């Protein structure tokens, strides 16, 4: 046990450390975990979950839409004694393609309903040309202080991905506390905004398990970012509140087994939630130190000076995610009177200025 977190998915942890796919496994209350590979991604796989009910199987986060992903999902269903045609429902904890990508294909094959939170459904990309969104993103990057070569690299035609334009829309909307429309067991949605506006976890009280999606992972920290394409809700503040929410449920229910969408199963959900809150407190302190030292840096300059998992010049395409996370922390600190942002960190600089800048409150 490390930091109050006890790994219970030992085979999953061993596979993670060996950089291979973990096995398909039967879990508490007859659930199954199924690793679905993510092509060319350091996360390597998404853990889809199968929830058997009296009327069929529900698949949570079926994974990335690729031939390898579909084969892995079918193999997992076979191991559980089911077929795609036995699936009656699909739940997306959120719409990122490593979670929601295969939902449409699986629904077409099975006739299953697709469910997600209303706030998540509202963020689904509109079908059609990406030009408008690319222009908005380019304007945001420019306003934050990125150079023209960096903007071209991050928003050019090669940056557009068609798979994000045709994501399946939901048939069922799950608000906080709503049960899944299945018979024979009660699984309820827990709204946990932050990583995305409509992220949900799934709680089965009888089995004392919570499917945590990307909200709480055993080792890594989910991206908590804000961009012009997202809701203007304060992502970091809502994420911290959502961590309180799941921590209370873990404590009130005497300890839950967390079934995350990446890495491995664990217990100690409350302890891990508190550790994530502490991480973001440290991140805010680091950001304030950078701003005080720099005087009046641009958003891009602050982002480049923060500590990331790799050197800034190796972050690559993830620079947009890094800037989005910086924006969420700037918004959080500005809302608490610790920073002043000259310009909107999500919309651009004030008229007459070239870039958004931030400064510490004396």
């Amino acid at each position: 046990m490390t930091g109050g977190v006890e790994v219970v998915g030992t085979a999953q942890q061993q596979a993670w450390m060996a950089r291979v796919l973990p096995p398909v496994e039967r879990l508490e209350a007859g659930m199954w975990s199924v690793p679905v590979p993510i092509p060319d991604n350091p996360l390597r796989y998404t853990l889809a979950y199968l929830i058997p009910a009296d009327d069929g199987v529900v698949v949570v986060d079926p994974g990335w839409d690729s031939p390898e992903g579909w084969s892995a999902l079918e193999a997992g269903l076979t191991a559980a004694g089911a077929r795609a045609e036995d699936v009656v429902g699909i739940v997306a904890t959120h719409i990122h393609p490593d979670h929601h990508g295969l939902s449409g294909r699986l629904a077409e094959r099975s006739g299953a309903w697709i469910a997600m939170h209303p706030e998540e459904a509202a963020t689904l990309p509109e079908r059609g040309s990406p030009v408008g969104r690319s222009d908005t993103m380019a304007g945001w990057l420019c306003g934050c202080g990125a150079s023209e070569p960096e903007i071209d690299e991050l928003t050019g035609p090669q940056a557009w991905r068609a798979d994000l334009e045709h994501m399946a829309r939901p048939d069922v909307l799950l608000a906080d506390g709503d049960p899944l429309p299945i018979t024979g067991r009660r699984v309820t949605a827990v709204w946990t905004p932050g990583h995305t506006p409509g992220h949900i976890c799934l709680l089965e009280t009888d089995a004392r398990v919570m499917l945590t999606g990307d909200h709480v992972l055993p080792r890594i920290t989910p991206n908590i970012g804000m961009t012009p394409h997202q809701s203007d809700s304060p992502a970091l503040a809502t994420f911290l509140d959502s961590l309180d929410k799941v921590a209370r449920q873990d404590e009130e229910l005497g300890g839950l087994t967390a079934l995350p969408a990446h890495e491995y199963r664990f217990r100690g959900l409350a302890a891990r939630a508190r550790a994530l809150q502490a991480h973001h407190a440290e991140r805010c302190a680091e950001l304030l130190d950078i701003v005080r030292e720099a005087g009046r840096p641009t958003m891009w300059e602050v982002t480049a000076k923060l500590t990331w998992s790799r050197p800034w010049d190796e972050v690559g395409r993830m620079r947009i995610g890094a800037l989005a996370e910086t924006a969420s922390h700037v918004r959080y600190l500005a809302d608490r009177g610790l920073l002043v942002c000259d310009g909107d960190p999500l919309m651009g600089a004030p008229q007459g200025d070239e870039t958004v800048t931030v400064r510490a409150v004396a």
Side-chain angles (χ1 to χ4, degrees):
M1 182 178 291
T2 303
V5 172
E6 176 192 359
V7 176
V8 294
T10 53
Q12 292 174 331
Q13 185 187 45
Q14 290 166 4
W16 178 264
M17 295 173 66
R19 305 186 66 83
V20 297
L21 283 183
V24 174
E25 292 185 83
R26 189 179 189 278
L27 313 177
E28 292 87 344
M31 295 184 187
W32 291 77
S33 67
V34 179
V36 179
I38 310 171
D40 303 317
N41 190 292
L43 284 175
R44 301 199 291 277
Y45 58 85
T46 300
L47 290 170
Y49 291 97
L50 313 182
I51 304 177
D54 290 350
D55 45 353
V57 177
V58 171
V59 178
V60 180
D61 289 344
W64 191 282
D65 186 5
S66 70
E68 298 81 5
W70 179 254
S71 294
L73 183 60
E74 282 195 310
L77 286 163
T78 299
R83 303 171 302 155
E85 290 78 8
D86 298 319
V87 175
V88 295
I90 301 159
V91 180
T93 61
H94 59 298
I95 64 165
H96 288 167
D98 57 322
H99 296 255
H100 186 46
L102 274 173
S103 296
R105 182 173 179 179
L106 181 58
E108 289 177 6
R109 176 76 172 268
S110 64
W113 45 260
I114 297 173
M116 64 183 64
H117 191 275
E119 291 290 335
E120 199 70 3
T123 69
L124 278 165
E126 293 296 329
R127 292 169 170 79
S129 169
V131 172
R133 284 185 301 288
S134 294
D135 288 346
T136 300
M137 183 61 71
W140 177 55
L141 291 168
C142 179
C144 288
S147 68
E148 286 190 15
E150 289 167 325
I151 294 169
D152 290 342
E153 178 187 353
L154 295 172
T155 64
Q158 73 281 0
W160 177 64
R161 294 218 333 261
D163 58 317
L164 299 182
E165 298 300 310
H166 302 285
M167 304 188 81
R169 307 195 76 84
D171 309 291
V172 176
L173 297 178
L174 294 171
D176 189 39
D178 282 352
L180 299 190
I182 56 177
T183 60
R185 62 195 310 161
R186 182 175 174 81
V187 181
T188 57
V190 181
W191 183 32
T192 50
H195 182 54
T196 66
H199 189 288
I200 57 173
C201 299
L202 296 176
L203 173 64
E204 184 166 18
T205 303
D206 291 342
R208 293 175 63 181
V209 299
M210 179 177 283
L211 283 66
T212 61
D214 280 359
H215 181 55
V216 182
L217 303 171
R219 190 187 61 88
I220 58 178
T221 305
N223 179 269
I224 309 300
M226 300 177 69
T227 74
H229 301 321
Q230 295 173 322
S231 164
D232 62 355
S233 63
L236 180 55
T238 57
F239 178 64
L240 297 175
D241 288 344
S242 297
L243 289 173
D244 276 333
K245 186 177 188 176
V246 299
R248 287 195 305 271
Q249 290 176 319
D250 183 52
E251 292 163 345
E252 290 169 0
L253 294 169
L256 299 168
T257 298
L259 311 183
H262 302 288
E263 300 184 319
Y264 35 82
R265 305 188 305 284
F266 66 98
R267 295 193 183 98
L269 186 54
R272 181 59 182 150
R274 304 302 183 207
L276 287 168
Q277 290 174 324
H279 163 80
H280 285 285
E282 293 170 2
R283 193 68 158 168
C284 286
E286 181 189 12
L287 193 152
L288 281 170
D289 287 343
I290 289 170
V291 173
R292 290 190 185 104
E293 183 177 349
R296 192 179 172 184
T298 66
M299 292 277 292
W300 192 258
E301 289 169 337
V302 173
T303 306
K305 290 179 178 179
L306 283 165
T307 303
W308 303 103
S309 60
R310 64 194 70 177
W312 178 245
D313 59 3
E314 298 177 14
V315 172
R317 283 277 310 151
M318 291 305 295
R319 281 172 289 175
I320 289 178
L323 180 62
E325 181 138 343
T326 301
S328 72
H329 285 74
V330 166
R331 169 72 178 271
Y332 181 82
L333 291 166
D335 286 348
R336 281 146 188 81
L338 298 172
L339 279 182
V340 173
C341 190
D342 296 314
D344 186 337
L346 296 183
M347 297 305 295
Q351 189 171 4
D353 287 349
E354 292 184 358
T355 54
V356 178
T357 57
V358 292
R359 49 193 168 90
V361 173

